[in-house]
């Protein structure tokens, strides 16, 4: 429920604007208060009268309106909200916001606001996939802007693909989730949480490497959950295609040795979570030049062991975090292997999961984990990786609090 939260809704000029009256209705039904900025192009698709009737408020559409500036100036408009929602966020609005343009009321407000912003993009699939839009998306994400959608499906223009605006109910759910996160208890406030995530790439020669199928999704979800619990988060990430979590310090590495070094640099930490799928071995005789076919002989790869980051930090002489958590990705005898690993690594807790191909965990969005501790094993139900992360972070915060 939105309990009187004030949403400033910026309506851009796209066909999806026809859904915004319904969005306004649903925000109000959930208890929110809505004020609308309608762009000139937006007014081609939805009338100010419709939005004014549904919000019970004047619709703002002009930057240089004398009466508007006297009643409520554009700076005040940008600040007198708890959340700014842009729906539909057109390619044009995204481009303006990404580049700091301020030539109408909507773009000026986006530049002037100090409030969180949620964008619901909507545009033709080719416009969405265009390198320029994807560049703008990355910039906006890095600037701390949140996104919902776009959905994939048939578009008003007859094409199919990603570009449809998220449904009003999904946008309202994202708005509610935003406020729920903001209100959530902060059991990790003042704590530094160090997380490793993703695979490592171990070079064979300048163009080839050994890798694994880890997507980094669980580790990134843990970083976001730790951030939402109030922690300062350092995320040491192997090569993944995920956007860095907003508000966390993300350090990108490739190899296990680089990850080891970045972890060492990031210490001290109160809590360290080793969710990365670190390659156990690297190629000992990494070639400076691309290896060539040599007659019929298949060249052998000499492997050597990588540093075991988890084991090393668990036994760190001077900077051992108060709580060290390992992960065990297993394809068979999950609990048996996990318990043995727990005993061997010297960590305080170990999260075990089944990553056999049938489980769909590697690269997927869901996970089922077992938490191994000195007290035994607690199995959590199958959930989304985000839900797993929230549940785990709550457990870790409890243990940390008990340790004082
Ligand atoms: O031994 P195994 O790789 O299965 O152990 C998994 C756990 O150990 C994970 O927490 C992983 O991040 C960590 N690990 C590590 N450094 C390695 C190998 C594994 O930190 N070289």
């Amino acid at each position: 429920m939105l309990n009187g939260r004030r949403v400033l809704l910026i309506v851009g000029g796209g066909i999806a604007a026809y859904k915004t009256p319904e969005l306004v209705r649903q925000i109000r039904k959930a208890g929110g208060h809505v004020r609308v900025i309608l762009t000139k192009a937006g007014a081609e698709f939805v009338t100010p009268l419709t939005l004014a009737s549904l919000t019970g408020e004047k619709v703002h559409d002009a930057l240089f309106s004398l009466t508007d500036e006297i009643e409520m100036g554009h700076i005040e408009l940008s600040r007198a909200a708890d959340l700014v929602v842009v729906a539909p966020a057109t390619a044009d609005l995204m481009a303006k916001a990404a580049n700091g343009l301020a030539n109408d009321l909507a773009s000026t407000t986006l530049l002037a606001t100090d409030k969180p912003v949620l964008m619901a993009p909507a545009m033709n699939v080719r416009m969405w996939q265009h390198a320029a839009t994807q560049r703008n998306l990355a910039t906006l994400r890095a600037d701390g802007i949140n996104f919902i959608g776009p959905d994939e499906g048939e578009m008003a223009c007859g094409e199919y693909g990603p570009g449809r605006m998220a449904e009003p109910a999904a946008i309202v759910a994202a708005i509610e989730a935003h406020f729920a996160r903001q209100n959530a208890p902060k059991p990790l406030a003042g704590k530094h949480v160090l997380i490793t995530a993703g695979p490592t790439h171990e070079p064979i020669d300048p163009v080839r490497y050994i890798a694994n199928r880890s997507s980094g999704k669980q580790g990134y979800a843990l970083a976001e959950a730790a951030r939402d619990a109030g922690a300062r988060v350092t995320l040491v990430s192997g090569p993944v295609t995920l956007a860095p979590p907003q508000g966390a310090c993300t350090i990108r590495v490739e190899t296990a040795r680089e990850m080891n070094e970045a972890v060492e640099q990031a210490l001290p930490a109160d809590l360290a979570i080793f969710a990365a799928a670190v390659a156990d071995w690297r190629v000992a005789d990494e070639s400076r030049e691309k290896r060539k076919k040599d007659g019929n002989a298949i060249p052998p790869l000499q492997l050597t062991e990588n540093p075991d980051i988890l084991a090393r930090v668990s036994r760190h002489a001077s900077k051992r975090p108060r709580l060290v958590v390992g992960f065990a990705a297993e394809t068979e005898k999950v609990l048996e292997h996990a318990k043995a690993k727990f005993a061997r690594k010297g960590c305080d807790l170990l999260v075990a999961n089944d990553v056999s191909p049938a489980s769909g965990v590697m690269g997927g969005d869901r996970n089922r984990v077992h938490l191994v501790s000195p007290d035994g094993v607690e199995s959590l139900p199958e959930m989304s990786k985000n839900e797993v992360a929230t549940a785990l972070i709550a457990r870790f915060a409890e243990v940390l609090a008990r340790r004082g």
Side-chain angles (χ1 to χ4, degrees), residues 19-24 26-27 165-175:
K19 293 184 190 169
T20 53
E22 176 59 17
L23 175 61
V24 169
Q26 289 196 27
I27 296 172
M165 188 171 85
E167 291 302 325
I171 299 176
V172 174
I175 295 171

Side-chain angles (χ1 to χ4, degrees), residues 65-283:
S65 157
L66 192 55
T67 37
D68 279 10
E69 279 302 303
I70 289 165
E71 286 167 12
M72 172 169 280
H74 63 277
I75 298 294
E76 199 184 332
L77 194 58
S78 73
R79 306 277 166 89
D82 300 305
L83 176 69
V84 180
V85 176
V86 188
T90 57
D92 179 62
L93 267 176
M94 284 178 62
K96 280 181 177 167
N99 292 286
L101 263 66
N103 61 358
D104 61 6
L105 184 58
S107 53
T108 305
T109 303
L110 284 169
L111 196 61
T113 192
D114 57 357
K115 294 296 154 57
V117 178
L118 173 70
M119 289 194 169
M123 65 197 73
N124 168 275
V125 54
R126 286 178 212 287
M127 291 168 75
W128 173 251
Q129 286 168 343
H130 195 286
T133 303
Q134 292 302 310
R135 231 175 10 246
N136 293 334
L137 175 66
T139 304
L140 292 167
R141 279 210 169 110
D143 288 350
I145 289 178
N146 290 301
F147 284 84
I148 164 95
D151 290 349
E152 193 157 315
E154 196 172 330
M155 314 194 63
C157 56
E159 289 192 68
Y160 191 93
R164 281 169 61 104
M165 188 171 85
E167 291 302 325
I171 299 176
V172 174
I175 295 171
E176 286 178 331
H178 166 81
F179 288 120
R181 271 200 307 277
Q182 223 174 40
N183 287 346
K186 305 279 181 238
L188 292 178
K191 304 278 187 251
H192 179 209
V193 177
L194 169 61
I195 301 175
T196 67
T200 61
H201 286 182
E202 308 297 333
I204 296 170
D205 63 25
V207 296
R208 304 183 179 97
Y209 56 83
I210 299 176
N212 61 65
R213 294 184 192 279
S214 168
S215 65
K217 283 182 185 169
Q218 189 62 78
Y220 274 55
L222 282 161
E224 287 177 356
R227 172 204 63 197
D228 293 344
R232 174 168 77 83
V233 178
T234 304
L235 174 64
V236 179
S237 172
V240 296
T241 55
L242 303 170
Q246 286 154 18
C249 169
T250 303
I251 301 161
R252 289 190 181 276
V253 297
E254 288 214 350
T255 65
R257 281 173 298 169
E258 287 168 8
M259 187 172 275
N260 189 39
E261 185 54 37
V263 164
E264 185 61 31
Q265 294 294 327
L267 291 174
D270 299 282
L271 163 62
I273 307 170
F274 293 91
V278 186
D280 290 321
W281 306 284
R282 68 173 181 275
V283 178

Side-chain angles (χ1 to χ4, degrees), residues 31-42:
H33 171 267
V34 191
R35 193 171 264 151
V36 171
I37 292 179
L38 184 59
T39 64
K40 197 157 170 269

